[in-house]
Amino acid sequence: MNQRITIDPITRLEGHGRIEIFLDDAGEVVSAYFQVPELRGFESFCVGRQSEEMPNITNRICGVCPEAHHIAAAKALDEMFGAPCLPAAVRIRELIYSAFFVTDHTTHFYCLGGPDFIVGPDAPKEERNILGVIRKVGLDAGKEVIACRARNHGLIKKLGGRGVHLCGALPGGWSVAVTPEIAEEARQIARQNIEFALFSLETFHQIVLGNEAYRDLVMGDLYAHQTYSMGTVDADNAPNFYDGTIRVVDPAGNELTRYRPQKYLDHIAEHVEPWSYVKFPYLKKIGWKGFVDGPESGVYQATPLARLNVADRMATPRAQAEFERFFDAFGCRGTGPGGRNRPVHHRLATHWARLVELLYAAERMQELADHPELCDPNVRQIVSYRAGVGIGSVEAPRGTLTHHYSCDERGILTSVNLVVGTTNNNAPIGMSIAKAAKGLIHNGVVNDGILNRVEMAFRLYDPCCSCATHAIGTAPLEITIRRAGVGTILDRISRGC
Amino acid sequence: MVVIGLGSPFLTDDSVGPRVVRELAREEYPGVRFVEAHAGGLLLLEELSGTRGAIIIDALLDEGLSPGEVVVSGIEGASHNAACSHDCGLTEALDIGRTMGMPLPDDTDISLVAVVAKDVTTFSEALTPEVETAVQRACTAVRSILARRHAGSPAEAP
């Protein structure tokens, strides 16, 4: 008797997704799929609009990473209008972007990914949430999570002109200069963020790595995959979220390629599967060989873990110390080709990598807030329409994000292509789910703890499936187990949000 | 007092919350703050912090009701149904906030005004005709709640 298990929608995923698991007659996993019934058509919707509207339109693609779309769109416009961004405006953009990274990574660790570790993967699902985390780490820490989000959102609002869906970007610049008062506020916030990031890392070390069972989960084979890694780095090969070149390293740590984001189409192609709306990007130089590991497979990941794997160092001192601690823990520091780090392939370590990035973002905020150029009033420039192409790229929290526009001589958009962070990771997400399901489900035995450990395989990627809508209404969270072929429902389990 | 319109401005009827807020913001309501927001959960908590009352306006997906119907309820009616997939639901967010001693309105001081949507997946800045005609009724419902709050709480005059 074949069985089909559906987890739909997945809990603690941004947007809606569905996991399908197929069991054979013996109750063993034959295959598993990650599907996203995603809203499509944003690119078509934008064609015919004025190009300078794009930062304000695309920041509505998603309620979670509007800053990433806003900044990527602004960078695409810089190029399209032939107006390199003014230095002070670059600082403002990057300061906002760093504050955004702090809020986003904080939210993921404490609300989405953290509950699995801090509360425990087998804890009752009613407790595997942020309230459970607060009970474990303490009320003061919980207050700091909320305060961290609030102070950074407040700063983004002041710098960006509007809360959440900021509206400050202009081609080649920013709409409002930073006052010394706001710069001082940013300095204070950055200091608090650094303390909070250090606290979060210590929490991870004590609660996760200090627990043998959790450590085995993070460092074991169940969630490991040997794929290529991708991320944006600066001239010193340190990760940079705002700008740089895109570097790809192979599973052993050798550099496969590095390129300006404008050349992305020379390096990335997209595979299509009939069962998914979302395409599967792969490395052109290697080619698509299916959902398989190894240097012969063009599958790559673009995640916080990938960004550490492609980096040779971090650009800030405290993050550098944590970076070294991270690779030391896996025995990978300096043991790769040419003395660089060997990539870490244990995907649950992405949670740890995210916290290293949280610390880097906080330290980078401090550098930017201290920079005398930040308050330069020269943040706007006059630009003229011209027919052309603009490609803007940033590292979104979930991976490399690329906006690619073409417009006519009136500045009207004629084509729009968006490659979002999660799309990069579509193939590895599916591979991680399949591997976890095969390793955990045997003899047809499925329970909540097992399904949660399967969900953890995608949650680590922090996937964001364009959740542009929401509703006050019923939000069904169900696992449906079906008989393959006829589709008869064998069981249905309701799951809480 | 805060009046929050939830929704994306680009997804047809999902924009009804912000649309209602824009209509009402043209009127004079001393002591009332109007907010356009896109997501619930912890982000909503930040807007609710420090207020004594709130009205939340959003699109409602309910096949049992007709598009354009306006449903007014308290927060109890929305328990465990107000979903925000990124962090947590509204009621959970309120629980978190209260656990941590944030100054939040009581449940009885939070009202929901929901407009039954017909289409929340097509990219458009226009409402469907059914929901367009409901905008004024939703505005009336909000005005009515504001007036009632004013009568019951002279210290926080609308």
Side-chain angles (χ1 to χ4, degrees):
Chain A
M1 180 187 69
N2 290 330
Q3 279 190 350
R4 172 179 176 173
I5 302 168
T6 305
I7 308 175
D8 177 18
I10 303 157
T11 56
R12 281 178 279 144
L13 157 73
E14 181 49 38
H16 299 292
R18 185 168 65 191
I19 292 175
E20 300 252 359
I21 302 167
F22 294 86
L23 305 187
D24 63 14
D25 291 348
E28 298 296 305
V29 175
V30 178
S31 55
Y33 299 96
F34 173 58
Q35 294 182 309
V36 181
E38 189 176 12
L39 288 165
R40 294 184 300 164
F42 222 98
E43 287 136 321
S44 307
F45 168 70
C46 295
V47 170
R49 309 289 300 223
Q50 287 293 145
S51 49
E52 65 267 32
E53 288 187 293
M54 289 304 275
N56 295 333
I57 292 177
T58 58
N59 69 4
R60 303 280 184 166
I61 287 175
C62 171
V64 176
C65 41
E67 292 88 349
H69 287 291
H70 193 71
I71 300 295
K75 291 182 70 182
L77 293 185
D78 296 345
E79 187 180 79
M80 179 177 276
F81 283 81
C85 189
L86 294 164
V90 170
R91 307 267 176 211
I92 298 168
R93 289 182 185 180
E94 198 183 345
L95 178 58
I96 288 172
Y97 205 56
S98 300
F100 156 63
F101 252 81
V102 170
T103 64
D104 201 280
H105 278 2
T106 295
T107 302
H108 189 273
F109 181 67
Y110 286 98
C111 301
L112 305 176
D116 293 325
F117 294 102
I118 296 174
V119 185
D122 296 317
K125 59 181 182 290
E126 299 79 26
E127 295 173 17
R128 277 197 318 264
N129 53 37
I130 185 178
L131 276 172
V133 171
I134 291 167
R135 273 192 285 273
K136 195 81 178 272
V137 298
L139 202 57
D140 288 343
K143 284 180 181 174
E144 184 53 23
V145 171
I146 301 296
C148 175
R149 285 168 49 94
R151 66 175 174 257
N152 287 287
H153 287 148
L155 181 66
I156 291 169
K157 191 173 185 176
K158 283 183 182 168
L159 294 167
R162 192 165 58 192
V164 186
H165 291 119
L166 65 173
C167 54
L170 296 172
W174 198 256
S175 54
V176 185
V178 175
T179 64
E181 292 74 27
I182 293 178
E184 177 53 31
E185 186 180 336
R187 261 178 230 116
Q188 291 177 16
I189 289 172
R191 278 195 288 273
Q192 291 171 302
N193 288 347
I194 290 169
E195 291 304 313
F196 179 65
L198 290 168
F199 166 80
S200 300
L201 278 155
E202 279 315 305
T203 301
F204 188 84
H205 284 286
Q206 286 174 17
I207 297 180
V208 181
L209 300 178
N211 178 314
E212 195 175 342
Y214 293 174
R215 196 173 60 243
D216 289 349
L217 206 57
V218 173
M219 298 186 167
D221 183 58
L222 184 63
Y223 297 96
H225 279 286
Q226 306 253 340
T227 68
Y228 286 80
S229 297
M230 172 188 287
T232 303
V233 293
D234 66 16
D236 294 324
N237 287 329
N240 190 295
F241 303 146
Y242 178 77
D243 202 22
T245 55
I246 293 172
R247 190 184 201 195
V248 180
V249 301
D250 72 12
N254 300 292
E255 181 180 292
L256 173 75
T257 184
R258 61 188 304 151
Y259 56 92
R260 292 290 302 160
Q262 286 76 8
K263 298 289 185 187
Y264 79 102
L265 287 175
D266 294 342
H267 297 271
I268 304 299
E270 292 180 313
H271 172 76
V272 176
E273 287 283 339
W275 45 267
S276 176
Y277 289 138
V278 183
K279 294 174 184 172
F280 299 87
Y282 63 92
L283 299 164
K284 262 187 177 175
K285 199 179 264 189
I286 308 298
W288 177 260
K289 307 288 166 49
F291 296 90
V292 289
D293 283 22
E296 285 76 36
S297 169
V299 170
Y300 67 93
Q301 61 154 337
T303 63
L305 179 61
R307 287 190 285 255
L308 295 199
N309 282 341
V310 302
D312 292 345
R313 60 183 59 78
M314 300 300 285
T316 54
R318 294 179 185 86
Q320 172 65 23
E322 290 296 333
F323 177 80
E324 291 172 8
R325 196 177 182 188
F326 176 86
F327 282 99
D328 272 338
F330 290 92
C332 291
R333 187 152 79 95
T335 60
R340 72 180 306 272
N341 301 328
R342 269 189 300 120
V344 171
H345 294 296
H346 301 80
R347 295 293 157 96
L348 282 182
T350 308
H351 295 290
W352 186 355
R354 199 170 276 118
L355 294 179
V356 177
E357 288 197 333
L358 169 66
L359 179 56
Y360 162 67
E363 288 187 287
R364 184 67 184 142
M365 278 185 76
Q366 190 173 47
E367 288 180 350
L368 291 159
D370 284 339
H371 200 285
E373 208 170 52
L374 180 68
C375 295
D376 183 341
N378 186 27
V379 294
R380 293 187 296 274
Q381 59 180 309
I382 295 170
V383 298
S384 302
Y385 291 125
R386 63 174 193 176
V389 172
I391 297 175
S393 170
V394 293
E395 282 298 322
R398 293 148 196 87
T400 314
L401 167 67
T402 305
H403 281 214
H404 181 175
Y405 314 148
S406 302
C407 75
D408 64 18
E409 68 283 355
R410 299 167 300 160
I412 303 291
L413 290 161
T414 52
S415 72
V416 173
N417 187 36
L418 309 173
V419 182
V420 301
T422 294
T423 305
N424 288 298
N425 298 315
N426 199 22
I429 290 172
M431 288 159 60
S432 289
I433 289 167
K435 186 172 181 182
K438 286 178 181 175
L440 292 164
I441 300 173
H442 299 290
N443 303 316
V445 176
V446 182
N447 58 40
D448 190 69
I450 288 174
L451 287 175
N452 188 52
R453 286 168 188 252
V454 173
E455 288 192 34
M456 285 166 65
F458 75 81
R459 200 173 291 137
L460 67 91
Y461 292 92
D462 189 14
C464 177
C465 304
S466 290
C467 176
T469 186
H470 54 270
I472 292 176
T474 304
L477 298 171
E478 291 181 345
I479 305 160
T480 306
I481 302 169
R482 296 175 188 274
R483 195 188 305 274
V486 292
T488 309
I489 294 173
L490 301 174
D491 198 3
R492 176 176 278 165
I493 307 163
S494 293
R495 296 169 68 86
C497 185
Chain B
M1 183 78 178
V2 62
V3 177
I4 301 168
L6 276 176
S8 164
F10 303 128
L11 283 173
T12 313
D13 293 336
D14 196 45
S15 66
V16 68
R19 171 70 186 282
V20 168
V21 158
R22 282 180 202 179
E23 295 280 332
L24 291 165
R26 296 179 188 149
E27 302 165 13
E28 288 291 319
Y29 293 99
V32 177
R33 187 163 53 91
F34 291 96
V35 174
E36 291 181 31
H38 75 286
L42 297 177
L43 277 172
L44 212 49
L45 196 62
E46 290 173 22
E47 296 294 351
L48 293 172
S49 179
T51 66
R52 294 174 55 188
I55 303 170
I56 299 167
I57 308 142
D58 198 3
L60 171 65
L61 292 174
D62 190 333
E63 291 176 359
L65 300 172
S66 303
E69 279 191 47
V70 176
V71 179
V72 179
S73 79
I75 190 75
E76 312 83 12
S79 294
H80 311 298
N81 287 335
C84 173
S85 54
H86 190 60
D87 39 42
C88 61
L90 174 59
T91 50
E92 191 183 10
L94 288 166
D95 284 346
I96 292 165
R98 288 180 185 132
T99 301
M100 291 182 295
M102 289 177 73
L104 293 166
D106 294 335
D107 279 357
T108 50
D109 292 323
I110 300 175
S111 302
L112 306 177
V113 175
V115 180
V116 180
K118 183 179 183 183
D119 179 359
V120 295
T121 57
T122 303
F123 286 107
S124 169
E125 290 167 273
L127 299 169
T128 60
E130 291 91 333
V131 174
E132 180 66 44
T133 60
V135 169
Q136 287 310 319
R137 279 183 281 120
C139 287
T140 302
V142 175
R143 286 188 199 104
S144 163
I145 297 166
L146 287 171
R148 211 162 51 237
R149 296 277 173 82
H150 175 46
S153 178
E156 193 183 21

